[in-house]
Amino acid sequence: MTDRFYITTPIYYVNAEPHLGHLYATMLADTVRRFQTQRGRESYFLTGTDEHSQKIERAAEAKGVPVQLFVDGLAGRFREVFDHWKIGYDQFIRTTSDAHKAGAQELWRRCRDAGLIYKSVYAGWYCVQDNAFIDGPKDGPPPECPDSGGPAEWVEEESYFFRLSEFQDRLLAYYREHPGFIQPDSRRNEIVSFVEGGLQDLSISRVTTKWGVQVPDDPAHVMYVWFDALSNYVTALGFSESPEPERWKFWPGVHLIGKDILRFHTVYWPAFLMGAGLPLPERVMVHGLWMSGGRKMSKRLGNGVDIGLLDRHFQHDAVRYYCLAEMGFGQDGDFTYGALVDRSNADLANGIGNLASRTLTMLAKYRESVIPDAAVDPAVLSALEQAVTTAVAEFENFEFRRGIEALRVAMATVDRFISDRKPWAMAKDPALERELDVVLVTAFAAVRALVVTLAPTLPEGAEALWRSLNFEGTASAVDPGALAIGDVPAGHRIGDIVPVYPRLNKEQIMDEITKETAADGAAPVEPAASAAAVAPAPTPATEDDAFITIDDFAKVDLRVGQILAADRIEGADKLLKLSVDLGETEPRQVLAGIALHYAPEALVGRKIVVVANLKPRKMRGLVSHGMILAASVGDDGVPVLATFAEDVPNGIRLK
Ligand code: MSP
């Protein structure tokens, strides 16, 4: 891999407002770019808007707005949204800009001068929605558009053609010699068999619309929008400008695209470039699509998740992380708000957020915020090293889900290590001072390594945590691949603990989103997966409310706990004093009236269910911070503790 990295997103059609699908592709590219920069590569990131074509002209007409004004407005919206979501692009290209048009014309001239363009007549089907030519007999019914599913239109017009048919062998040879050119492999295989099936010359100009880039020396024709659009990847770098701009050094680059536009990028585009005598892209990385209600999220279907709604209810980090952690690269994903809330709570609030605050709280409490001089526990260190190495390798291949998964496993190892060592108990015994140092240093090393490695996926929170760790500079300036995880700075003073990822109240958020989308008449909030969370409360059977509502139930915060210690209380023969790990920074003290039926030593290690938000209550001079659940059996009400047949992590909510 070279030290330079150029990443592009598709340029987006400006026929409607951006939705999650567009934000996703751009966030993914932004994450890749952040990661590459973090690894020390000089990088360049291009995104922008694709503003020509009949489809856009018609959308403007339908609104009664002059087309230039129409595209200016929507291009502005895309840019605004990307800026608001802190997408760190270097250039936002617009295909209506003069520089781009001049570049596209130069690409055309180079292909023409190489004898690859000729004039003829196109008679066939054209899909305005997809900007695609489709095979099919004139007298048959209009064929379906490949992507949008709409009906194609029959057109017969004078057109310039590109000699694509001459490129079959060259393209196949290129795919063979560059096996990583199209990824994942399934997409590569799809294209290889398509090209093996033979290629026809491609119509690359239109006379029935004026809304496009003029064909050089023939003002009656505008370029086919894909010739115009694809050229953006090189016009943005000023490939034809003289003197050659410095940024041209970034070519060739990596194209990130959705699988919906595979053929354009892996057949047409390489052929145009070969024709013009320019180097081919380094790689074409093909991501899957977000579905909603079982269909591709799209502007046309109106089932796109509204970015404004995401913005109002979720931290940007949570949305980015969810998209990366949930969708395997190249696969489709089903977007649900419920899963987004769950991810945010499990991985951000309870995961990295909790581990960081737990660690910093312990350091503040037991070591006056100064990192002690001790070695990181070797088993945890090796787990962390392995996880970071895996994550870095996966991130290099855009496999964020797999990389994140490796880090999650390491995080669980660290959590377990802390719970097993019981630092709160060690702190009470001066003889265990050195051991406590090891726990603290290990936890600190873990937080630092996780924050650094997760930085491209959690740009805002990682930097906030970095500041809490009181390190200079930024987490994103540290290369995770070069971090010496076991090298912990003894004597370093940590900063203040700032909560980064608050727990989201799922029921409340789901309820609000349901109301908002219903008021907008927008696409339904939730395809089946988490419908239970928004199901209406059962109607009371009688006037005296025989039922509670789901909201009533949601008020009870039931959590998985683990008993760490159980002691009898002097003078209270029925009560036991329990120390319970609820996945919080410190175990809780809970009193339970079970002493007549459970021996304290038999309870240590047991998983139980705790009502975690019960008002604290004082009994026998001791405060109980919660209540444990038990069945009350027989006339005597013998308590039998509620527990789990499977292993479950501490602190998880029951619902
Ligand atoms: N203008 C062309 C691309 C020209 S590139 C030289 C185009 N535009 S688009 O606005 O329709 O969509 C472009 C890209 O947006 C898709 O390839 C994909 O990256 C992203 N997405 C659009 N809908 C999406 C989903 N439902 N899910 C994920 N990404 C989606 O095609």
Side-chain angles (χ1 to χ4, degrees), residues 358 419 422 424 428 557-567 576-592 594 600 603-612 623-629 641-642 644 648-652 654:
R358 203 177 178 191
S419 300
K422 304 187 182 64
W424 49 90
K428 291 185 191 135
D557 190 2
L558 296 173
R559 288 189 189 265
V560 177
Q562 184 171 27
I563 300 176
L564 302 174
D567 296 297
L576 284 185
K577 183 179 79 167
L578 307 176
S579 169
V580 182
D581 180 2
L582 282 180
E584 300 167 314
T585 44
E586 294 254 301
R588 285 201 199 189
Q589 173 169 288
V590 178
L591 305 181
I594 54 173
L603 288 171
V604 175
R606 270 193 75 155
K607 296 269 180 174
I608 49 166
V609 180
V610 178
V611 183
V623 181
S624 180
H625 297 275
M627 181 176 92
I628 64 174
L629 288 193
L641 292 181
F644 298 92
V648 271
N650 300 343
I652 295 281
L654 281 82

Side-chain angles (χ1 to χ4, degrees), residues 97 189 261-262 282 328 330 403 405 417 464 476 489 545 559 602 627 640:
S97 67
N189 298 341
I261 51 177
L262 177 64
E282 191 184 303
E405 201 41 49
F417 169 78
S476 59
D545 277 358
R559 288 189 189 265
M627 181 176 92
V640 177

Side-chain angles (χ1 to χ4, degrees), residues 419-442:
S419 300
D420 290 351
R421 294 296 163 103
K422 304 187 182 64
W424 49 90
M426 287 179 172
K428 291 185 191 135
D429 185 349
L432 298 176
E433 197 175 316
R434 300 299 301 152
E435 285 185 40
L436 179 56
D437 284 348
V438 170
V439 175
L440 297 174
V441 162
T442 303

